[in-house]
Amino acid sequence: MRYLTFALTKGRLAGKTMKMLESLGITCEEMKEKDSRKLIFTNEELKLKFFLAKGPDVPTYVEYGAADIGVVGRDTIIEEGRKVHEVLDLGFGKCKMCVCGRQETKELLNRHELIRVATKYPKIAKDYFYNKKHQTVELIKMNGSIELAPIVGLSEVIVDIVETGTTLNENGLVVLEEVCPLSARMIVNPVSMRMENDRIKKIVTDLRELLREEQCGHAN
Ligand code: PRP
């Protein structure tokens, strides 16, 4: 049997993914070792490999088949536009892509003025303003701490992820418009999907069942 390889997004998403997989009996003890500099972890018994990568690299590994399965935020899947199959909404990592800025900026948005938009997600921002709102804007690609941009006067608004709203709140910014809902998704390489259909289908089906049970638990 060949190894089935998972590419997980470093950080909270990877932690939550492993917890979910553990409920299905898919574990990786090697991964739990603290302070290890190892990059790839194996479960010999189940013939599985796991590695951690930066979010935007996860769809790349999956498109090229270096990983069969990936777990990554929907924001990254849309932004990267890789040829992968999205097979499951994992239900965690829920947040929203939003247009944010100072409350006063709402007027500029409403009047369709030529505003500057700072974002880590130029493709999502462009699609939203040009195709959905039919509004011309100046896009400025940034790499993090996007909330700084309107504070220091780099841009009028930002397009960024809002989870709890704390970062906005603490910096005097508000959500002006909602672009789309986001959450962690499972993606699969199209060739792996065919070649390893049984194994992948079993994981997806079991996860779906687990999610359904969790949902029922919450409802009761
Ligand atoms: C994300 C996002 C916001 C923040 C939102 O940043 O870009 O800054 O989290 O979360 P909140 O609504 O709960 O405050 P992240 O911490 O991933 O780092 P980044 O600024 O480097 O993108």
Side-chain angles (χ1 to χ4, degrees):
M1 191 160 51
R2 74 180 268 273
Y3 283 97
L4 208 57
T5 303
F6 286 75
L8 308 178
T9 302
K10 239 184 224 176
R12 259 185 302 171
L13 290 194
K16 289 199 171 169
T17 307
M18 290 315 291
K19 232 172 144 185
M20 260 186 112
L21 289 174
E22 253 174 49
S23 339
L24 305 183
I26 300 175
T27 54
C28 190
E29 290 309 312
E30 248 192 355
M31 224 169 159
K32 293 178 186 163
E33 283 166 29
K34 289 241 151 53
D35 304 324
S36 164
R37 303 287 292 172
K38 260 189 106 145
L39 295 171
I40 186 148
F41 310 94
T42 314
N43 178 329
E44 287 297 348
E45 204 186 325
L46 298 175
K47 286 276 180 260
L48 299 173
K49 282 187 192 287
F50 300 87
F51 66 81
L52 303 174
K54 287 256 186 192
D57 293 338
V58 169
T60 314
Y61 283 115
V62 175
E63 179 182 293
Y64 283 90
D68 303 285
I69 299 175
V71 173
V72 64
R74 179 173 179 240
D75 47 310
T76 309
I77 300 173
I78 306 174
E79 188 64 30
E80 296 300 313
R82 295 283 178 179
K83 290 187 204 82
V84 295
H85 288 319
E86 191 184 308
V87 293
L88 191 62
D89 181 345
L90 291 163
F92 55 78
K94 276 197 177 143
C95 49
K96 279 181 188 151
M97 187 65 75
C98 298
V99 181
C100 313
R102 290 188 212 280
Q103 186 64 54
E104 310 88 83
T105 320
K106 182 84 184 146
E107 255 314 289
L108 302 178
L109 267 175
N110 291 347
R111 290 203 304 259
H112 279 214
E113 290 204 13
L114 179 60
I115 50 170
R116 292 166 299 176
V117 180
T119 186
K120 215 158 106 174
Y121 303 90
K123 193 168 155 192
I124 295 176
K126 189 176 176 194
D127 181 60
Y128 178 70
F129 280 105
Y130 284 76
N131 299 334
K132 206 160 169 196
K133 298 205 69 196
H134 306 290
Q135 181 171 356
T136 306
V137 293
E138 185 180 336
L139 291 166
I140 306 171
K141 163 83 163 84
M142 301 301 290
N143 294 295
S145 302
I146 316 294
E147 291 84 357
L148 258 177
I151 299 172
V152 299
L154 175 71
S155 70
E156 282 71 37
V157 300
I158 59 174
V159 167
D160 199 20
I161 290 171
V162 179
E163 191 181 353
T164 60
T166 314
T167 314
L168 291 180
N169 228 328
E170 291 187 1
N171 291 289
L173 305 172
V174 293
V175 171
L176 299 168
E177 290 172 5
E178 287 184 8
V179 178
C180 61
L182 305 168
S183 59
R185 305 292 162 104
M186 182 166 273
I187 54 174
V188 176
N189 170 275
V191 178
S192 308
M193 197 73 194
R194 275 184 276 126
M195 306 294 285
E196 292 291 338
N197 191 266
D198 292 348
R199 289 171 86 193
I200 295 175
K201 214 160 150 192
K202 166 123 182 63
I203 295 170
V204 175
T205 310
D206 288 355
L207 282 172
R208 201 171 278 143
E209 186 55 35
L210 185 72
L211 287 165
R212 196 170 305 138
E213 278 166 20
E214 274 178 10
Q215 259 176 0
C216 290
H218 283 307
N220 292 333

